[in-house]
Amino acid sequence: KCNHIPEHIKYKIDIPNKNIEIPFNPQLISWTIENLIKNAIDAMKGKGTLVIQLIEKEKEVQLLVTDTGCGMKKDVAYKVFKPGFTTKKRGWGLGLSLAKRIIVDFHQGKINILKTTLGKGTSFQVILNKVPL
């Protein structure tokens, strides 16, 4: 059980039961994942379901972080990766813009909103290239 997740949040982790080699910086990737999880928990206001999935494809690995929070309007979804944009009362609006720089610029991957529905939640997708065989 994770001590950082509020007790009214259920979480499901769906990851392959094997090692997958991905060239990445552990500190930067763990910070990015932590940021996505914290945002998901904030969006659920302490109650809901958090799902973390790791999907292995032939040449890439997809990480999905899905919440059952408030979701986003389209105009907000378009802005979430811009530096300084925030929907929170506190914060600098740098988390997702930094996450994008870490995934896209540093790891040559992709990060995006896979799906968001008002009142139902949001799913963020991170795509990282696997080690060439």
Side-chain angles (χ1 to χ4, degrees):
K1 184 158 182 165
C2 181
N3 295 332
H4 303 298
I5 297 178
E7 64 181 75
H8 296 293
I9 295 208
K10 297 178 183 126
Y11 58 98
K12 298 176 187 172
I13 299 175
D14 180 12
I15 58 175
N17 192 17
K18 65 177 189 170
N19 289 335
I20 301 171
E21 287 192 41
I22 310 167
F24 68 91
N25 178 298
Q27 289 83 14
L28 293 178
I29 292 296
S30 67
W31 181 90
T32 300
I33 294 168
E34 182 179 340
N35 184 264
L36 291 172
I37 290 170
K38 283 180 178 178
N39 285 348
I41 290 169
D42 287 349
M44 293 186 283
K45 296 180 176 33
K47 185 176 182 184
T49 302
L50 172 67
V51 180
I52 299 168
Q53 295 173 278
L54 190 68
I55 302 163
E56 183 181 17
K57 304 277 186 168
E58 186 179 341
K59 295 184 178 185
E60 66 190 29
V61 174
Q62 296 179 9
L63 173 72
L64 303 178
V65 177
T66 304
D67 65 64
T68 57
C70 55
M72 291 180 248
K73 292 181 181 177
K74 282 186 180 180
D75 63 327
V76 171
Y78 287 122
K79 298 175 189 172
V80 296
F81 293 107
K82 293 188 188 307
F85 179 80
T86 184
T87 59
K88 300 174 186 178
K89 290 179 182 170
R90 296 180 348 174
W92 294 75
L94 298 175
L96 287 174
S97 65
L98 185 54
K100 184 170 184 170
R101 287 193 61 200
I102 289 168
I103 298 302
V104 176
D105 297 343
F106 195 84
H107 291 90
Q108 288 73 52
K110 297 176 187 166
I111 184 170
N112 57 61
I113 297 172
L114 189 63
K115 182 178 181 185
T116 186
T117 305
L118 275 177
K120 294 192 177 177
T122 301
S123 183
F124 279 86
Q125 177 186 53
V126 174
I127 299 172
L128 295 170
N129 297 313
K130 288 170 60 174
V131 174
L133 299 175

